[in-house]
Amino acid sequence: MGDDTTGARAGRDADFTAFVDASWDRLHRYGYVLTASPAEAEELVQETLVKVYLAWHRITADGSPLAYTRSAMARTHVSRWRALTRRTALEERLHLDRLSRSEEPWQSRAEDRDAVWRLLALLPPRQRAVVVLRYYEDLSERATADALGCSVGTVKSQLSRALQSLRGHEAALALVKEESR
């Protein structure tokens, strides 16, 4: 009986390892979009993969481990942000941006991208997650609601609030004007 359990565990471990190997880059990019930090993205992916591993037998039975993992990442990210104050996180991000900024002309697209991350950092975690899932991941309202474990109405209201908030920032207006040239 012990051999069956050991064999099943080895098979589960092999399946999970194959999933991680195949999905790591994609999950890390998704984590980066959510967190706007490579280090935090890696932490988020690792923290989420621990949870996914513990539920692997249920996830594989449903047949959609990548979708489950992305949903778990979004929820984990929101939970982590609830534990932090927005002000502390924003100050840290702005400080890191100032340290890493380059004056090279070819960096202008990177600066625009950084401006987008800074604007996203101003949003509350749930609004940011909705914006990322809808516009970066190009998910439907229903898929976004499923990923975040909320209703479609909540997705619509959070997206509306996020866009309204972003419209009020001069940096967002400048970025849009720059893109339209």
Side-chain angles (χ1 to χ4, degrees), residues 5-6 18 22 27 35 52 80 98 127 132 134 143 147 159 162-163 168 174:
T5 305
T6 305
L27 293 172
T35 64
V52 168
R80 290 170 81 198
R98 274 187 239 114
Q127 288 179 14
V132 167
R134 285 287 288 133
L159 186 58
L163 295 177

Side-chain angles (χ1 to χ4, degrees), residues 97-108 110-111 114:
D97 282 349
R98 274 187 239 114
L99 292 176
S100 65
R101 193 160 290 221
S102 172
E103 298 299 323
E104 297 292 326
W106 56 271
Q107 290 283 337
S108 64
E111 289 173 4
D114 288 345

Side-chain angles (χ1 to χ4, degrees), residues 75 126 130 142 144-155 158:
R75 289 179 183 163
R126 193 159 192 105
V130 168
R142 166 56 42 209
T144 301
D146 291 344
L148 295 175
C150 64
S151 70
V152 172
T154 300
V155 169
Q158 292 294 308

Side-chain angles (χ1 to χ4, degrees), residues 61-157:
D62 291 339
S64 186
L66 184 58
Y68 180 94
T69 304
R70 288 191 342 198
S71 176
M73 283 178 67
R75 289 179 183 163
T76 300
H77 173 65
V78 170
S79 295
R80 290 170 81 198
W81 264 92
R82 284 181 182 146
L84 299 173
T85 63
R86 284 179 50 198
R87 181 176 179 186
T88 303
L90 179 60
E91 287 173 353
E92 180 181 328
R93 178 68 181 137
L94 291 175
H95 176 70
L96 291 173
D97 282 349
R98 274 187 239 114
L99 292 176
S100 65
R101 193 160 290 221
S102 172
E103 298 299 323
E104 297 292 326
W106 56 271
Q107 290 283 337
S108 64
R109 287 194 67 145
E111 289 173 4
D112 288 348
R113 185 184 65 232
D114 288 345
V116 170
W117 299 138
R118 283 192 304 278
L119 287 168
L120 286 173
L122 296 172
L123 296 174
R126 193 159 192 105
Q127 288 179 14
R128 181 174 44 251
V130 168
V131 169
V132 167
L133 290 171
R134 285 287 288 133
Y135 295 115
Y136 181 78
E137 286 293 319
D138 198 27
L139 296 182
S140 67
E141 289 171 343
R142 166 56 42 209
T144 301
D146 291 344
L148 295 175
C150 64
S151 70
V152 172
T154 300
V155 169
K156 289 179 180 180
S157 68

